[in-house]
Each structure stands twice: as C-alpha cells, then as structure tokens.
Amino acid sequence: MPEGDTVWNTARVLHRALAGARLTGSDFRVPQLATTDLTGWTVRESASRGKHLLLRLAALDGTHWTLHSHLRMEGAWRAYAPGERWTARPAHLIRVVLRSPGAVAVGYHLHELALAPTAEEESLVGQLGPDLLGADWDPAEAVRRLAAHPDATIGEALLDQRNLAGIGNLYKCEVLFLRGISPWTPVRAVPDLAGTVTLAQRLLAANRGRWTQSTTGSLHRGQTSYVYGRRAQPCRRCGTAIRKEELGDRVTYWCPVCQPERTPRGDGG
Ligand SMILES: [Zn+2]
C-alpha cells in the first residue's frame, strides 16, 4: 500500500538508480507527455513529499524541471538493470520509461504524471500539509491544521493530506488503535492531538528502508498490523472481533472495546 513510507522508499530507489545520470532515452505513454523527449537530460535527484514523487531534472539548456507522479493505490516505480526483463507489472500498465547508461526506471500505473519547472513545484504539491518524513517535518503545524477543522472525524482528518502528508489508510487505522481513539471521534474531542501526530510520524519512520509495513514490530505475515485488514479477527489486546466499516470514502478498521466512542455518532455536537 503506497503510503508515505513506501513513496519515500521509492524515491530512494530512483535516486540510487538515476541521480547524476544523463538520460539516454525516455518513453512517455500518457497523452499529455506523449511528445516529450528527455534524452540528454540529467537527473539531479529524486525526492518524496507526502505521497508525491518528485524527480528533479536538468534540461539540455540547464533549466530545472520536475517530473511529478503520484502512486495512489496501485502505482509503482521500478529500477531495472539495462537488459533486465521488466517483470514487476504487466506492460500495458507502463506510463513512462527512463533509460540511463546504468539503469532503466519504469513507472507503472502512475497518476498525475506531469513535467513542470522546478521553480513551480509548489503548484504541484504546495497544498500539502507538513510531510511526516520530510526534513522540514513540523508537528506543531500539523496539529494546528488538524485543529482548524474541529468537527471533522479524526479518521478522515488524518487522511486529508492538506493537514499532514504521508498517512494512508493503514497508518490511520493503526495509530488510532494504538491511541485508543475511535475513528469517528471529532477532532475537537481527541485528547492529545500532538501525541497522535507524533506516533503517526514514528510509525512511518520505522518502516523507512523496507517494503514490509509493520506497526506491531513483527514482520511475520499476518502479524504486521493490529486492526488494519483484520476484520472479524480477535483484537490482539482484548480479543474482541475487529470491525470494518465505511468512514467517508474509505473503509476503516477498529476495535470497539479498545477504541470506545467518546461522542455518540451523528449527534452534531
Ligand atoms: Zn481491543
């Protein structure tokens, strides 16, 4: 599941494969970039911002450009050795191929693929809240943005990338379980927003550098989460069956005993 840590890992893979390299060819398979040719361009660096990937390039004339992509649910980038078979995903999902002397980067099922001047990068990602895995991570600003919408449910507020960037459904469910907070709790009724934000950051940071996402400390299959993906299975703490229900436009998992509702649902106040 591409959450902030997965995108951070992907950015690192692309950086190691391409940074400093001069591209020997490019092949865009999306209409908006079909005529774009990056041959001769140099890859400066690869970075992530929340769940957005930013591949920073220098054009032949020395101007700086950013190739933006978003993985959403199913997108992925892979780096292959020259001549290696591209086996990660079916070929029809390929959206872009970037070739360099040492590596070939293939982007599958990418969303929001766009090329913009690096100076205008903020127009692509400027609406994002503080990046949990960014060098400029600002927990106080994240709390301030969350608190600005006191009546939103905490379950939806944590997923809103304008509040803080990088949390997806897995970390949302897990952090709320670990804090004993029902996903339906209004933001104003969450007892310690700063503690919740800090824990979310720690969970994402702990999964940097590996592809298996775990919030329990275990990397064994079936033991990597407390509630996420565990509908009807016993809570690891109290044994109650984990529940799954829609919240906003996503599903949420929670333990009704460990995460009691402080404010009745739908009471409006
Ligand atoms: Zn429980």
Side-chain angles (χ1 to χ4, degrees):
M1 167 138 317
E3 305 202 25
D5 56 332
T6 306
V7 181
W8 189 93
N9 287 342
T10 301
R12 193 169 69 158
V13 166
L14 287 177
H15 189 84
R16 286 177 174 171
L18 294 178
R22 181 172 285 247
L23 297 178
T24 54
S26 69
D27 177 9
F28 286 95
R29 303 183 188 177
V30 292
Q32 70 272 22
L33 292 172
T35 60
T36 300
D37 182 3
L38 304 183
T39 302
W41 289 36
T42 301
V43 178
R44 297 168 52 229
E45 60 180 353
S46 164
S48 64
R49 179 92 181 269
K51 296 195 273 185
H52 297 250
L53 266 166
L54 304 169
L55 192 65
R56 299 187 179 120
L57 307 157
L60 291 165
D61 63 4
T63 55
H64 288 180
W65 294 77
T66 297
L67 182 64
H68 169 272
S69 58
H70 195 288
L71 304 184
R72 288 208 201 149
M73 301 294 281
E74 63 291 271
W77 279 92
R78 289 289 184 277
Y80 298 103
E84 186 182 353
R85 285 191 62 201
W86 306 345
T87 52
R89 304 279 174 97
H92 73 270
L93 294 177
I94 294 174
R95 299 293 178 264
V96 58
V97 179
L98 301 176
R99 298 172 189 277
S100 77
V104 181
V106 179
Y108 297 93
H109 214 139
L110 303 173
H111 298 270
E112 302 172 36
L113 197 58
L115 188 64
T118 297
E120 295 171 20
E121 213 171 68
E122 287 299 304
S123 69
L124 299 170
V125 296
Q127 78 284 7
L128 292 178
D131 179 359
L132 284 100
L133 297 179
D136 55 351
W137 165 236
D138 182 349
E141 174 65 10
V143 168
R144 191 192 67 75
R145 290 185 181 218
L146 285 167
H149 304 282
D151 294 329
T153 67
I154 188 65
E156 291 171 284
L158 289 177
L159 288 179
D160 188 334
Q161 306 294 303
R162 294 169 297 185
N163 290 331
L164 66 179
I167 296 179
N169 212 16
L170 164 74
Y171 289 109
K172 174 207 80 181
C173 294
E174 295 294 292
V175 75
L176 291 178
F177 171 82
L178 287 164
R179 300 289 299 177
I181 298 167
S182 161
W184 280 269
T185 307
V187 167
R188 62 181 147 73
V190 173
D192 180 6
L193 269 181
T196 301
V197 162
T198 299
L199 179 61
Q201 197 277 339
R202 278 202 208 122
L203 291 177
L204 262 83
N207 284 306
R208 277 183 300 196
R210 66 178 183 225
W211 297 101
T212 302
Q213 295 171 310
S214 173
T215 55
T216 59
S218 171
L219 296 177
H220 293 289
R221 194 181 172 83
Q223 296 175 25
T224 54
S225 69
Y226 287 103
V227 293
Y228 185 81
R230 298 192 66 242
R231 179 178 175 229
Q233 296 180 49
C235 173
R236 298 192 195 282
R237 283 194 176 154
C238 74
T240 304
I242 298 301
R243 292 173 65 180
K244 173 187 175 185
E245 212 172 294
E246 285 182 16
L247 169 59
D249 55 2
R250 304 293 292 275
V251 297
T252 199
Y253 298 85
W254 82 107
C255 171
V257 173
C258 295
Q259 298 168 261
E261 292 190 24
R262 293 161 202 270
T263 307
R265 236 179 273 178
D267 70 350

